PDB file of all heavy atoms in Angstrom:
ATOM      1  N   MET A 176     128.974  97.411 105.721  1.00  0.00           N
ATOM      2  CA  MET A 176     128.712  98.806 105.455  1.00  0.00           C
ATOM      3  C   MET A 176     128.507  99.530 106.770  1.00  0.00           C
ATOM      4  O   MET A 176     127.736  99.089 107.621  1.00  0.00           O
ATOM      5  CB  MET A 176     127.459  98.974 104.601  1.00  0.00           C
ATOM      6  CG  MET A 176     127.034 100.425 104.423  1.00  0.00           C
ATOM      7  SD  MET A 176     125.304 100.637 103.905  1.00  0.00           S
ATOM      8  CE  MET A 176     124.463 100.283 105.445  1.00  0.00           C
ATOM      9  N   ARG A 206     121.890  91.466 109.285  1.00  0.00           N
ATOM     10  CA  ARG A 206     122.264  91.680 110.688  1.00  0.00           C
ATOM     11  C   ARG A 206     122.812  93.096 110.814  1.00  0.00           C
ATOM     12  O   ARG A 206     123.819  93.436 110.192  1.00  0.00           O
ATOM     13  CB  ARG A 206     123.331  90.673 111.102  1.00  0.00           C
ATOM     14  CG  ARG A 206     122.883  89.209 111.006  1.00  0.00           C
ATOM     15  CD  ARG A 206     124.044  88.262 111.104  1.00  0.00           C
ATOM     16  NE  ARG A 206     124.980  88.490 109.983  1.00  0.00           N
ATOM     17  CZ  ARG A 206     126.166  87.891 109.866  1.00  0.00           C
ATOM     18  NH1 ARG A 206     126.561  87.040 110.785  1.00  0.00           N
ATOM     19  NH2 ARG A 206     126.944  88.155 108.833  1.00  0.00           N
ATOM     20  N   VAL A 207     122.129  93.918 111.603  1.00  0.00           N
ATOM     21  CA  VAL A 207     122.494  95.326 111.710  1.00  0.00           C
ATOM     22  C   VAL A 207     122.690  95.705 113.175  1.00  0.00           C
ATOM     23  O   VAL A 207     121.966  95.256 114.056  1.00  0.00           O
ATOM     24  CB  VAL A 207     121.415  96.225 111.044  1.00  0.00           C
ATOM     25  CG1 VAL A 207     120.054  96.018 111.686  1.00  0.00           C
ATOM     26  CG2 VAL A 207     121.816  97.682 111.104  1.00  0.00           C
ATOM     27  N   LEU A 208     123.687  96.517 113.418  1.00  0.00           N
ATOM     28  CA  LEU A 208     123.988  97.040 114.747  1.00  0.00           C
ATOM     29  C   LEU A 208     123.796  98.552 114.734  1.00  0.00           C
ATOM     30  O   LEU A 208     124.285  99.233 113.834  1.00  0.00           O
ATOM     31  CB  LEU A 208     125.441  96.722 115.116  1.00  0.00           C
ATOM     32  CG  LEU A 208     125.971  97.309 116.435  1.00  0.00           C
ATOM     33  CD1 LEU A 208     125.273  96.661 117.632  1.00  0.00           C
ATOM     34  CD2 LEU A 208     127.490  97.140 116.537  1.00  0.00           C
ATOM     35  N   LEU A 209     123.066  99.070 115.725  1.00  0.00           N
ATOM     36  CA  LEU A 209     122.918 100.516 115.883  1.00  0.00           C
ATOM     37  C   LEU A 209     123.861 100.974 116.983  1.00  0.00           C
ATOM     38  O   LEU A 209     123.781 100.506 118.124  1.00  0.00           O
ATOM     39  CB  LEU A 209     121.474 100.882 116.232  1.00  0.00           C
ATOM     40  CG  LEU A 209     121.202 102.362 116.525  1.00  0.00           C
ATOM     41  CD1 LEU A 209     121.603 103.240 115.350  1.00  0.00           C
ATOM     42  CD2 LEU A 209     119.735 102.586 116.871  1.00  0.00           C
ATOM     43  N   PRO A 232     120.382  95.025 117.786  1.00  0.00           N
ATOM     44  CA  PRO A 232     121.130  95.441 118.973  1.00  0.00           C
ATOM     45  C   PRO A 232     121.451  96.941 118.927  1.00  0.00           C
ATOM     46  O   PRO A 232     121.702  97.504 117.857  1.00  0.00           O
ATOM     47  CB  PRO A 232     122.415  94.608 118.909  1.00  0.00           C
ATOM     48  CG  PRO A 232     122.165  93.552 117.900  1.00  0.00           C
ATOM     49  CD  PRO A 232     121.133  94.067 116.958  1.00  0.00           C
ATOM     50  N   ILE A 234     124.053  99.626 120.988  1.00  0.00           N
ATOM     51  CA  ILE A 234     125.114  99.764 121.981  1.00  0.00           C
ATOM     52  C   ILE A 234     125.560 101.217 122.069  1.00  0.00           C
ATOM     53  O   ILE A 234     125.544 101.938 121.070  1.00  0.00           O
ATOM     54  CB  ILE A 234     126.338  98.879 121.676  1.00  0.00           C
ATOM     55  CG1 ILE A 234     127.023  99.292 120.350  1.00  0.00           C
ATOM     56  CG2 ILE A 234     125.955  97.403 121.632  1.00  0.00           C
ATOM     57  CD1 ILE A 234     128.379  98.644 120.151  1.00  0.00           C
ATOM     58  N   LEU A 248     134.054  94.905 116.448  1.00  0.00           N
ATOM     59  CA  LEU A 248     132.721  94.544 116.936  1.00  0.00           C
ATOM     60  C   LEU A 248     131.787  94.134 115.812  1.00  0.00           C
ATOM     61  O   LEU A 248     130.692  93.639 116.074  1.00  0.00           O
ATOM     62  CB  LEU A 248     132.101  95.715 117.695  1.00  0.00           C
ATOM     63  CG  LEU A 248     132.827  96.226 118.939  1.00  0.00           C
ATOM     64  CD1 LEU A 248     132.073  97.402 119.530  1.00  0.00           C
ATOM     65  CD2 LEU A 248     132.973  95.113 119.977  1.00  0.00           C
ATOM     66  N   LEU A 249     132.194  94.349 114.581  1.00  0.00           N
ATOM     67  CA  LEU A 249     131.283  94.179 113.450  1.00  0.00           C
ATOM     68  C   LEU A 249     131.442  92.860 112.708  1.00  0.00           C
ATOM     69  O   LEU A 249     130.827  92.666 111.660  1.00  0.00           O
ATOM     70  CB  LEU A 249     131.469  95.344 112.461  1.00  0.00           C
ATOM     71  CG  LEU A 249     131.188  96.735 113.033  1.00  0.00           C
ATOM     72  CD1 LEU A 249     131.349  97.792 111.950  1.00  0.00           C
ATOM     73  CD2 LEU A 249     129.802  96.817 113.659  1.00  0.00           C
ATOM     74  N   GLU A 250     132.221  91.948 113.264  1.00  0.00           N
ATOM     75  CA  GLU A 250     132.449  90.676 112.573  1.00  0.00           C
ATOM     76  C   GLU A 250     131.150  89.891 112.374  1.00  0.00           C
ATOM     77  O   GLU A 250     131.014  89.141 111.409  1.00  0.00           O
ATOM     78  CB  GLU A 250     133.464  89.841 113.357  1.00  0.00           C
ATOM     79  CG  GLU A 250     134.863  90.423 113.357  1.00  0.00           C
ATOM     80  CD  GLU A 250     135.838  89.544 114.106  1.00  0.00           C
ATOM     81  OE1 GLU A 250     135.418  88.481 114.616  1.00  0.00           O
ATOM     82  OE2 GLU A 250     137.023  89.926 114.194  1.00  0.00           O
ATOM     83  N   ASN A 251     130.217  90.045 113.290  1.00  0.00           N
ATOM     84  CA  ASN A 251     128.974  89.280 113.219  1.00  0.00           C
ATOM     85  C   ASN A 251     127.805  90.075 112.641  1.00  0.00           C
ATOM     86  O   ASN A 251     126.651  89.661 112.780  1.00  0.00           O
ATOM     87  CB  ASN A 251     128.595  88.779 114.621  1.00  0.00           C
ATOM     88  CG  ASN A 251     129.633  87.816 115.173  1.00  0.00           C
ATOM     89  OD1 ASN A 251     130.159  86.977 114.459  1.00  0.00           O
ATOM     90  ND2 ASN A 251     129.938  87.960 116.455  1.00  0.00           N
ATOM     91  N   TYR A 252     128.112  91.200 111.991  1.00  0.00           N
ATOM     92  CA  TYR A 252     127.050  92.050 111.447  1.00  0.00           C
ATOM     93  C   TYR A 252     127.304  92.352 109.971  1.00  0.00           C
ATOM     94  O   TYR A 252     128.456  92.433 109.530  1.00  0.00           O
ATOM     95  CB  TYR A 252     126.936  93.361 112.219  1.00  0.00           C
ATOM     96  CG  TYR A 252     126.542  93.168 113.671  1.00  0.00           C
ATOM     97  CD1 TYR A 252     127.511  93.123 114.669  1.00  0.00           C
ATOM     98  CD2 TYR A 252     125.206  93.000 114.015  1.00  0.00           C
ATOM     99  CE1 TYR A 252     127.151  92.916 115.996  1.00  0.00           C
ATOM    100  CE2 TYR A 252     124.839  92.792 115.340  1.00  0.00           C
ATOM    101  CZ  TYR A 252     125.818  92.753 116.318  1.00  0.00           C
ATOM    102  OH  TYR A 252     125.465  92.547 117.626  1.00  0.00           O
ATOM    103  N   ASP A 253     126.213  92.528 109.234  1.00  0.00           N
ATOM    104  CA  ASP A 253     126.319  92.912 107.832  1.00  0.00           C
ATOM    105  C   ASP A 253     126.443  94.424 107.687  1.00  0.00           C
ATOM    106  O   ASP A 253     127.158  94.909 106.809  1.00  0.00           O
ATOM    107  CB  ASP A 253     125.081  92.444 107.060  1.00  0.00           C
ATOM    108  CG  ASP A 253     124.903  90.938 107.121  1.00  0.00           C
ATOM    109  OD1 ASP A 253     125.835  90.222 106.733  1.00  0.00           O
ATOM    110  OD2 ASP A 253     123.829  90.487 107.578  1.00  0.00           O
ATOM    111  N   HIS A 254     125.731  95.163 108.551  1.00  0.00           N
ATOM    112  CA  HIS A 254     125.701  96.610 108.457  1.00  0.00           C
ATOM    113  C   HIS A 254     125.703  97.234 109.843  1.00  0.00           C
ATOM    114  O   HIS A 254     125.301  96.600 110.828  1.00  0.00           O
ATOM    115  CB  HIS A 254     124.449  97.087 107.693  1.00  0.00           C
ATOM    116  CG  HIS A 254     124.329  96.512 106.315  1.00  0.00           C
ATOM    117  ND1 HIS A 254     125.240  96.771 105.318  1.00  0.00           N
ATOM    118  CD2 HIS A 254     123.409  95.669 105.779  1.00  0.00           C
ATOM    119  CE1 HIS A 254     124.878  96.133 104.214  1.00  0.00           C
ATOM    120  NE2 HIS A 254     123.771  95.458 104.469  1.00  0.00           N
ATOM    121  N   CYS A 255     126.126  98.483 109.895  1.00  0.00           N
ATOM    122  CA  CYS A 255     126.151  99.232 111.141  1.00  0.00           C
ATOM    123  C   CYS A 255     125.634 100.644 110.870  1.00  0.00           C
ATOM    124  O   CYS A 255     125.998 101.263 109.877  1.00  0.00           O
ATOM    125  CB  CYS A 255     127.573  99.287 111.705  1.00  0.00           C
ATOM    126  SG  CYS A 255     127.761 100.354 113.158  1.00  0.00           S
TER     127      CYS A 255
END
Side-chain angles (χ1 to χ4, degrees):
M176 173 199 75
R206 299 167 298 174
V207 59
L208 175 68
L209 176 57
I234 64 168
L248 299 179
L249 300 182
E250 293 182 0
N251 296 320
Y252 297 96
D253 301 303
H254 303 296
C255 173

